[in-house]
Amino acid sequence: MLIKKISDTCKSLFVCSLLIAISSCAVNYPHPDTVVLEQPKPGESLIYFLRAPHDNEALVIESSEKRTVRLPPESYVALSLPPGNYQFTTRHGGFFSTAEGAEKIEVSLAKNSRRFFHISGIEENRPSYIGFIGTGFTPLYARKSVVINRVWKECSELDARGLITISRRVNIE
């Protein structure tokens, strides 16, 4: 009987400590309905590019009219453009990188409209060389998570508002 009471007490303490640990991780993010989106300038359009939080690599977006935006992880940008057809290319964000970071997208923007795109990809764990063990020549590897096959996907305004609540805005370079 005493052992059962001790066991029940331990279970209760474990559950309470687990709940405290989980609740301490909660961050007070604003609700998506409270996010105020920009309105397009008269006669122009807005296009939003949003980054998902799991992708840790910076990306550079270039438009067909040579605008360049560097998007670090967990960020977004709103580009104001005249109506028309645009092609956007994405490359990895290193200083000398020319590698494609995502497939090119072609977007048609209408007058006084807003469009929203987020980037999506497949997360893959790869072995990564991190050094040698001891004085020998035994290589040391660790698992590194990388995102591959990135694709820009159009999303709804509500989805964009949700991503904006966990992102920070960047400006055009």
Side-chain angles (χ1 to χ4, degrees):
M1 188 69 159
L2 181 62
I3 294 174
K4 183 169 178 12
K5 284 185 179 181
I6 292 172
S7 175
D8 289 342
T9 304
C10 288
K11 286 179 187 175
S12 297
L13 286 172
F14 175 74
V15 169
C16 286
S17 62
L18 185 62
L19 289 174
I20 289 170
I22 290 172
S23 65
S24 67
C25 294
V27 177
N28 191 16
Y29 290 115
H31 192 275
D33 289 340
T34 63
V35 173
V36 178
L37 297 173
E38 275 186 63
Q39 295 298 320
K41 295 175 187 169
E44 293 207 354
S45 305
L46 274 176
I47 183 167
Y48 281 80
F49 289 103
L50 305 127
R51 297 288 311 276
H54 68 279
D55 191 349
N56 292 325
E57 185 175 354
L59 298 174
V60 175
I61 302 170
E62 297 171 331
S63 71
S64 50
E65 65 169 27
K66 303 300 179 212
R67 282 192 164 174
T68 302
V69 179
R70 186 174 189 279
L71 280 180
E74 299 179 13
S75 63
Y76 74 96
V77 68
L79 298 176
S80 181
L81 297 167
N85 298 319
Y86 296 90
Q87 184 179 57
F88 295 94
T89 57
T90 307
R91 62 180 169 82
H92 295 282
F95 285 109
F96 303 108
S97 178
T98 58
E100 188 175 83
E103 293 181 13
K104 293 178 183 177
I105 60 167
E106 293 191 16
V107 179
S108 180
L109 296 175
K111 189 177 187 180
N112 299 322
S113 68
R114 286 189 303 215
R115 301 220 19 215
F116 307 93
F117 291 87
H118 73 92
I119 197 158
S120 177
I122 300 169
E123 193 167 6
E124 183 179 85
N125 287 321
R126 295 181 177 172
S128 175
Y129 170 75
I130 59 173
F132 289 108
I133 296 175
T135 58
F137 291 100
T138 306
L140 181 61
Y141 290 93
R143 299 254 272 166
K144 181 180 179 183
S145 180
V146 295
V147 177
I148 59 171
N149 299 334
R150 289 182 185 91
V151 177
W152 286 105
K153 294 182 179 180
E154 190 158 12
C155 61
S156 70
E157 182 175 317
L158 182 60
D159 290 334
R161 286 174 186 262
L163 282 171
I164 287 171
T165 63
I166 59 172
S167 301
R168 67 188 181 286
R169 185 179 178 138
V170 297
N171 295 317
I172 301 167
E173 294 176 356

